[in-house]
Amino acid sequence: MDFSQQIAQYIVTGLTIGAIYAIVAMGFNIIHNATGIVNFAQCEFISLGGMFMYSLVVLFKVNPMISFFISMAGVAIIGALIEIGPIRHARSKEIIVLIFLTIGLSEVLRGTAQEVWGTDNVGVPAFSGENPIHLLGGGTIVPQHIWVFAITVLVMLMLHYFFKKTLMGKAMRATSVNRRAAALVGISVNRIILFSFAFSGALGAVAGIIIAPISTTSYDTGIMLGLKGFAAAILGGYGNFAGAILGGVILGLLESLGAGLISSQYKDAIAFFVLLLVLFLKPAGIMGYGEAERV
Amino acid sequence: MLKIDGISSHYSGVQALDEIFLALAEGEILALVGGNGAGKTTLLNLISGIIRPSRGKIVFKGKNIVSFSPEKIVELGIIQVPEGRHLFGPLTVRENLELGAYRRRGKRNKKKISEDFKYILQLFPVLEKRLNQRAETLSGGEQQMLAIGRGLMGKPVLLLLDEPSLGLAPLVVQEIISVIERLRKEGTTILLVEQNARAALRISDRAYVLKTGKIQLQGKASDLLEDEEVKRAYLGQDS
Ligand SMILES: Nc1ncnc2c1ncn2[C@@H]1O[C@H](COP(=O)(O)OP(=O)(O)OP(=O)(O)O)[C@@H](O)[C@H]1O
Ligand SMILES: [Mg+2]
């Protein structure tokens, strides 16, 4: 393989992982915009998505397509339950207290997952086989990467449509801008928050499901992916949706190129170093412009 | 239609309203006048369920709504146009209006909502050119019109207007007042809060004067316009 082919390979890998970060970042953003909190249980949504998929497809031999949707729905329900129970009934509504609460919930979910599935990394079959496809110019790409791209693009388009065209999406944006005004037009802020948790659960699950055939999955795969997704969200401008995509892609590319060209030892360090640098130069993130709308 | 029955309210222990009694009949414009900090906004927020009273009842069409959530109160058709407008700034003018009709969501109302949309653009023609602009880019007067328009999109049974003329140029104030008069002719019941007492009293049927959390005076708006005390305290010397 010559150098340019190698670079192309790194870029494909970087974009794939970047797409995952972008979806995870969206999940963080949706809950943030509804509630003002950072939901660290987002990490567990990713692991659970992967593990549900594994159980259904591998253990119970359910059709992958059906498994995909069941896993998504399952994690969405867990997201909703987290909100209906502990988050909604927390005595304190202080943001910082609620954030710690999500860290606690994250621990509980991970512990439970460990009890259920153990600590082994398990594989999930690729959606359409493993045979690499040859690209123009000589590089190759495994089909699962294409699935990741296609599903990510589809998710982003659906999110865009949802937030720009549907009344529910507009109500969610309205609530994030001004809660009191939202209540005064009859929007149930509680219902929006509930929906945000379910929605983020589904998004986290999608990320966990589509990456599982590439990198295997386990009860705690979501931690690193979740933290990187969180970093992508900050990089792009926390709460900003275009920023989440940009942040995800930048982070994914840097990581992959850094690992390939410098050393895979520094993979994570490179990503976080760039994050620190951007925050130092532009604390609001790349797309952050203070009070402007984030969707 | 609406009865405020012995409402008291506190902000962390400090009393803002002290045993308010107030009644509003269907089709009426009732003005609530009073100086800064009298408790006018507090009363509207109590009616809208944004804050809870420490004592008393709020009865709307025979039902005590005092413990209802804000969205449930909006569902009953009690719609507040808040002081300071509280628009959805980064959303477009069109989106703000659409969200005003949130309580009527669902297929059945689609046609009616689009008729009301046209009606509001006819009330406030300046908004038409601005439909795809972000609400926060509008001038103060335009923002107030949008706030009222958003309120009207909810088809209010009872409209609560909190200082709609605050900080606006006289011509814009005139425009807003004529819209309120038009709404009255069409039968909307309105509770109008104003510091601009003269304008408010001129277009209202009855009025209450609120001072430091207590009802000081009440009566027919035309009588209050002639009342010596009201003239001195709220209408300035030039009346
Ligand atoms: N959120 C709040 N927290 C504490 N005190 C408040 C709060 N809102 C209002 N108050 C106090 O309650 C009293 C009544 O205020 P309110 O806003 O109802 O008056 P207002 O008649 O609407 O005045 P204005 O004409 O200035 O709008 C004032 O003394 C005010 O300082
Ligand atoms: Mg006020």
Side-chain angles (χ1 to χ4, degrees), chain B residues 31-41 44 83-84 161-167 173 177 192-201 204 208-210 225 230-236:
Chain B
L32 187 62
V33 298
N36 280 318
K40 308 179 296 293
T41 300
L44 293 197
E83 181 178 12
L161 290 171
D162 198 351
E163 309 214 21
S165 73
L166 191 68
V173 172
I177 284 174
L192 173 63
V193 163
E194 269 293 353
Q195 281 199 37
N196 183 350
R198 189 189 313 276
L201 290 174
S204 305
Y208 287 76
V209 177
L210 199 60
L225 266 175
V230 173
K231 273 188 186 170
R232 190 161 22 82
Y234 301 104
L235 300 178

Side-chain angles (χ1 to χ4, degrees), chain A residues 163-164 167-168 170-171 173-175 177-178 180-192 291-293, chain B residues 45 48 50 70-71 74-75 79-80 82 86-91 95 98-100 102-103 105 134 136 150:
Chain A
F163 282 108
K164 292 290 182 186
L167 190 64
M168 180 70 180
K170 290 171 193 174
R173 286 161 62 211
T175 305
V177 171
N178 188 330
R180 167 177 296 198
L184 285 178
V185 298
I187 295 168
S188 163
V189 174
N190 276 339
R191 209 173 306 161
I192 296 283
E291 288 304 298
E293 203 197 4
Chain B
N45 283 338
S48 288
I50 299 279
E71 64 268 17
V74 170
E75 246 155 57
I79 291 174
Q80 183 188 153
H86 284 276
L87 294 173
F88 305 118
L91 276 66
E95 287 170 332
E98 285 168 0
L99 285 164
Y102 187 82
R103 81 169 182 110
R105 65 193 176 281
R134 295 151 74 101
E136 65 202 358
R150 184 181 66 185

